[in-house]
Amino acid sequence: MKFPDSPKAHTGSPAEQALTESLKELADIKFALDQSTIVAITDQRGTITYVNDAFCRISRYAREELLGQDHRIINSGYHSKEFIREVWTTIAGGDVWRGDFRNRAKDGGIYWVDTTIVPFLDEQNKPYQYVAIRHDITQLKMAEEQIRQQADLLDKSQDAILVRDMDDRIIYWNKSAERMYGWRAGEVIGRRTTEFLFRSISPEYGQAQRMLLERGEWRGEFNQITKDGRDLIVESRWTLVRDEHGKPFQKLVVNTDVTEHNRLQGVLQRAAQLSFVGELAAGLAHEVKNPLAGIQGAVDILIRRRDPNDPEREALEGIRHEVTRIDATVRALLDRARPRKLNTIEVSITELVTKAVSVARAQAIAAAARGRRVQIMFTPPGEDIAVKADPAQIEDAILNLIINAIEAIEEEGRIVVGIRHQSSEEYGEEAIIEVADNGRGIPEENFQRIFNTFFTTTTGGTGLGLPAVRRIARAHGGRIEATSTVGEGSIFRIHLPLNNFP
Ligand code: FAD
């Protein structure tokens, strides 16, 4: 096939006339084709034998520069060898090839053409030339690229971005949504978020929907769940997307996971509250401590003056007990408010525990006055353990645990205090001070909270004791552990490191 020049008007035999007409028709077809398509013809080796104007326009080469060359002249280096090989095997085998080429024009500009290469076959069915017919699809490819880049950007966003149609079915779900919720796009497209992102649908959800339609946007917080059942708090921003006629047709949703942020906010708020309470407590404690010491002294004198059988003596003992308790609370408050600096020296743990036990025994005697019989047992270990510690603070911590144990015993019970040495791979060498009681034990729901400041189950408790014990243990580079069984009792252990103390 060869595109001839436009035929001149011809008058002759009917055969010549028919020929003239079909040549004219061919010229018209070529003209029509030239208007809309980019045409090139090559021989069987790929050497260009014909190009139309559209080819010259888009490639910015003059016809003379193209004829006799092959298409390498516009090759942009974008396509792989395999791609080119596939083109050639298809057309050399006599089949039509269709695909997109990315080419480079003479001025270096890149253009895309959708291409159909048709092989023309001789009598042996061998291609003797190829005709390439193409269309400029540069704009389309650029738009595609832009969309891909935007989609990449959406995927890089930390926020879950989703689009719902007006029937609330998901039509877009970005990579962050996959990461945040654990659901893959393929699993959720076509579904409603209310089917799988919420434990229950709150009334706010309906309000949000109404507000979105009325105002075109909505912003708020939701409790949601992930695919594996984790709870999330998300800040959600909804925007109503309208079509070119202003009719609502999609809902764009951007969700930010604020679970951790909210938790930290809570912690900060609590810390601020505590520091306020701490200041208040420190002030109050100073005001209370002096008069309390006065009352304590006066009550002691009154008790000493009473005969052991004096009925008023019991009441006075009761007052002394309460005063001691107030004093302990005030001390704990002070401890909490202004954690004392550690004054560490090398001390004998046996000595510390012995002191704490003897103070606690006085408490146990007072408890006996109120009908509780508590026995405190302590057998010092054969070999003493020395630690570097603040003796006053450790003594306070042990005393605190023993007093708690006394309180946990309802009528009659036993507290066993022990010291031992333990070495483990995780914590190295440690001294362990253990306080075990056979009191009422701590129910599971309370056990989680026993180290929370101000958490208490006893009417006279402050909820400051155990947090203070933990703080003291931690300040020494150690820790506190507890186990408890309702009806059987509790065991608290203070672990103090022997070697890795800072
Ligand atoms: P090469 O390294 O030259 O070839 C890659 C593989 O393709 C080779 O290993 C071989 O297996 C096969 N191959 C290459 N040339 C031939 C051949 N002549 N005969 C049989 N197999 C062969 N290229 C473009 O880049 N843009 C175009 O728009 C374009 N349009 C074309 C239109 C027509 C009608 C024809 C016939 C070819 C067209 N080509 C086009 C292909 C072009 O002729 C070159 O083959 C190609 O540009 C070379 O690319 P390359 O250097 O990366 O590959």
Side-chain angles (χ1 to χ4, degrees):
M1 174 178 153
K2 203 168 167 90
F3 285 120
D5 288 329
S6 284
K8 295 197 175 67
H10 207 279
T11 47
S13 68
E16 278 176 336
Q17 231 175 338
L19 181 66
T20 311
E21 268 167 30
S22 60
L23 284 178
K24 185 179 179 307
E25 203 178 330
L26 210 55
D28 288 346
I29 293 172
K30 175 183 175 284
F31 177 77
L33 209 62
D34 273 352
Q35 300 309 303
S36 59
T37 42
I38 302 156
V39 184
I41 302 176
T42 74
D43 65 14
Q44 80 277 20
R45 289 190 313 277
T47 307
I48 299 170
T49 55
Y50 171 84
V51 286
N52 72 347
D53 293 345
F55 193 111
C56 295
R57 251 196 321 274
I58 196 164
S59 70
R60 299 188 180 269
Y61 282 103
R63 185 165 282 111
E64 311 77 69
E65 292 175 292
L66 293 164
L67 296 178
Q69 302 286 334
D70 68 20
H71 280 84
R72 276 168 220 273
I73 193 169
I74 49 165
N75 186 314
S76 67
Y78 174 84
H79 301 289
S80 66
K81 303 277 173 223
E82 291 66 44
F83 179 89
I84 301 290
R85 189 172 305 133
E86 201 260 324
V87 174
W88 277 106
T89 9
T90 309
I91 58 176
D95 292 319
V96 175
W97 181 88
R98 283 192 189 86
D100 300 340
F101 270 113
R102 181 183 189 267
N103 287 337
R104 187 185 301 279
K106 188 180 178 183
D107 64 1
I110 294 296
Y111 65 91
W112 279 89
V113 276
D114 82 342
T115 304
T116 305
I117 304 179
V118 185
F120 278 51
L121 309 178
D122 60 17
E123 297 77 36
Q124 281 89 45
N125 267 347
K126 287 248 175 312
Y128 64 91
Q129 69 175 15
Y130 300 109
V131 177
I133 300 165
R134 330 166 198 238
H135 294 100
D136 181 3
I137 51 163
T138 313
Q139 295 298 327
L140 187 74
K141 285 283 181 183
M142 272 164 49
E144 263 177 31
E145 178 61 16
Q146 212 173 352
I147 289 170
R148 212 179 29 251
Q149 281 175 3
Q150 280 167 356
D152 275 0
L153 270 183
L154 289 182
D155 280 343
K156 284 200 183 83
S157 153
Q158 292 296 306
D159 296 326
I161 301 174
L162 47 137
V163 178
R164 308 192 312 240
D165 63 17
M166 293 313 286
D167 193 27
D168 281 317
R169 297 194 184 276
I170 297 168
I171 54 172
Y172 175 75
W173 183 261
N174 78 339
K175 286 268 180 299
S176 293
E178 293 190 343
R179 280 192 294 271
M180 191 185 295
Y181 296 110
W183 292 99
R184 319 262 323 152
E187 297 173 294
V188 300
I189 298 288
R191 292 176 69 190
R192 294 191 171 101
T193 53
T194 45
E195 292 168 23
F196 61 94
L197 279 190
F198 299 87
R199 284 198 194 281
S200 60
I201 309 299
S202 64
E204 284 87 65
Y205 189 85
Q207 279 168 14
Q209 292 274 46
R210 279 193 296 280
M211 197 98 84
L212 180 68
L213 292 180
E214 276 169 26
R215 302 197 185 158
E217 58 178 27
W218 176 86
R219 187 181 258 265
E221 259 184 28
F222 282 127
N223 292 320
Q224 296 186 328
I225 45 163
T226 61
K227 188 178 181 183
D228 56 13
R230 256 182 320 111
D231 285 290
L232 291 182
I233 303 171
V234 300
E235 191 186 279
S236 198
R237 298 175 296 287
W238 296 6
T239 310
L240 191 64
V241 183
R242 296 174 186 276
D243 64 14
E244 64 269 31
H245 310 294
K247 213 173 133 236
F249 92 119
Q250 279 171 0
K251 300 169 183 179
L252 169 71
V253 178
V254 180
N255 286 343
T256 312
D257 180 359
V258 292
T259 319
E260 185 59 14
H261 176 263
N262 282 14
R263 191 186 67 78
L264 286 178
Q265 196 102 8
V267 170
L268 284 177
Q269 249 167 27
R270 255 167 32 115
Q273 252 169 21
L274 280 182
S275 98
F276 172 70
V277 172
E279 276 171 35
L280 210 72
L284 199 73
H286 278 296
E287 294 302 313
V288 172
K289 259 182 109 59
N290 289 341
L292 211 58
I295 298 171
Q296 210 161 10
V299 172
D300 278 346
I301 293 169
L302 288 176
I303 291 174
R304 250 181 277 126
R305 283 195 192 152
R306 292 289 186 284
D307 193 79
N309 304 323
D310 189 328
E312 278 182 7
R313 192 178 160 131
E314 195 182 322
L316 289 169
E317 296 269 14
I319 294 174
R320 186 167 65 180
H321 169 77
E322 293 305 325
V323 168
T324 315
R325 215 164 55 82
I326 295 171
D327 189 51
T329 307
V330 168
R331 275 215 288 164
L333 266 174
L334 267 176
D335 240 25
R336 186 78 208 166
R338 278 187 290 110
R340 283 177 276 157
K341 229 179 124 255
L342 281 192
N343 267 328
T344 55
I345 49 166
E346 179 116 349
V347 280
S348 143
I349 296 235
T350 311
E351 209 175 290
L352 291 182
V353 174
T354 310
K355 273 192 196 161
V357 165
S358 71
V359 177
R361 279 190 178 133
Q363 291 277 320
I365 292 165
R370 281 171 285 128
R372 244 186 291 173
R373 293 234 312 272
V374 181
Q375 196 188 355
I376 303 174
M377 295 162 68
F378 170 56
T379 319
E383 202 175 316
D384 191 18
I385 306 168
V387 286
K388 234 177 138 194
D390 182 323
Q393 294 208 27
I394 297 291
E395 205 186 304
D396 265 7
I398 303 166
L399 186 59
N400 222 306
L401 293 184
I402 305 176
I403 291 171
N404 282 352
I406 297 174
E407 293 299 321
I409 290 165
E410 255 135 38
E411 284 171 7
E412 192 171 341
R414 206 172 51 157
I415 296 166
V416 182
V417 184
I419 304 171
R420 69 195 149 81
H421 173 254
Q422 180 178 286
S423 79
S424 68
E425 219 164 83
E426 193 176 354
Y427 297 105
E429 306 281 307
E430 290 180 313
I432 298 174
I433 304 158
E434 181 176 289
V435 177
D437 67 69
N438 60 354
R440 70 178 92 89
I442 307 164
E444 180 60 35
E445 65 271 22
N446 294 343
F447 191 75
Q448 307 300 330
R449 299 155 66 197
I450 52 174
F451 290 106
N452 289 1
T453 308
F454 299 128
F455 175 75
T456 180
T457 54
T458 55
T459 38
T462 59
L464 291 167
L466 282 180
V469 174
R470 185 169 64 175
R471 189 185 55 70
I472 292 169
R474 285 183 177 172
H476 284 80
R479 68 208 145 87
I480 177 155
E481 279 180 359
T483 53
S484 188
T485 312
V486 173
E488 287 181 21
S490 311
I491 303 172
F492 285 82
R493 295 187 193 95
I494 299 174
H495 291 242
L496 296 175
L498 295 184
N499 301 325
N500 59 345
F501 187 68

